[in-house]
Amino acid sequence: DQQVKQNSPSLSVQEGRISILNCDYTNSMFDYFLWYKKYPAEGPTFLISISSIKDKNEDGRFTVFLNKSAKHLSLHIVPSQPGDSAVYFCAASRSTSGTYKYIFGTGTRLKVLA
Amino acid sequence: NAGVTQTPKFRVLKTGQSMTLLCAQDMNHEYMYWYRQDPGMGLRLIHYSVGEGTTAKGEVPDGYNVSRLKKQNFLLGLESAAPSQTSVYFCASSYPRTGVRQPQHFGDGTRLSIL
């Protein structure tokens, strides 16, 4: 039972345009969400996070939106750059777990075309 | 600043052999985690530790054992390797400051093939 889903395995976007990566979750107890970026042969690196008390968090070119009623979050990258080409994972956790465990999605491979 | 270091980076084993994967972090983090990544499956938690001397099971613990004898090290052991354990293994750590969520920091992975 996949509690965190990334239904698009891949996405191609032209350089300079907006990239939108989506993530859905099923557990309403999740209250903290993160996005990680992963390049080949490297470990995931933290990108941006959002708490359930917010519906938007912005960091430079990256913005994460959270729609709690739809159990959906999205990552917007504007403008997209070739260096953004990577696999993006969303992850979710709930504060009551007490252990800061995260459930990860299956990832979306983003390719930014020059 | 090394962060999270995993050794080895690659390894090929025969079915039934045993081995230990080492994870070391130099950030004084309390929490450490072992994940495996398989195609189409994302990252799945194998075992984790909330402090020196403590370990707990994650989503997919069967066939693995762990130890956290020192705060900076977290070892993942395969007692009798099986082809189903062919995967990329990632170690991560985090520092759980009370009331402040912390993202996990990952190592670069160990690619393990079981023949």
Side-chain angles (χ1 to χ4, degrees), chain A residues 25 33 51-55 66-72:
Chain A
Y25 60 96
F33 305 88
S51 165
S52 61
I53 62 174
K54 294 185 175 182
D55 54 18
L66 176 62
N67 182 333
K68 290 185 287 294
S69 60
K71 296 191 184 69
H72 177 84

Side-chain angles (χ1 to χ4, degrees), chain B residues 33-91:
Chain B
Y33 311 80
W34 275 108
Y35 292 89
R36 58 179 289 174
Q37 185 193 9
D38 302 292
M41 300 291 286
L43 290 158
R44 292 183 293 169
L45 183 64
I46 305 171
H47 286 280
Y48 64 98
S49 167
V50 300
E52 182 179 321
T54 69
T55 63
K57 294 180 180 180
E59 295 175 68
V60 288
D62 293 342
Y64 305 94
N65 56 75
V66 287
S67 64
R68 183 98 182 268
L69 299 179
K70 292 183 179 181
K71 185 177 182 178
Q72 63 268 33
N73 295 337
F74 195 27
L75 279 63
L76 178 71
L78 286 74
E79 290 185 347
S80 179
S84 61
Q85 294 177 304
T86 293
S87 188
V88 181
Y89 292 86
F90 288 99
C91 176

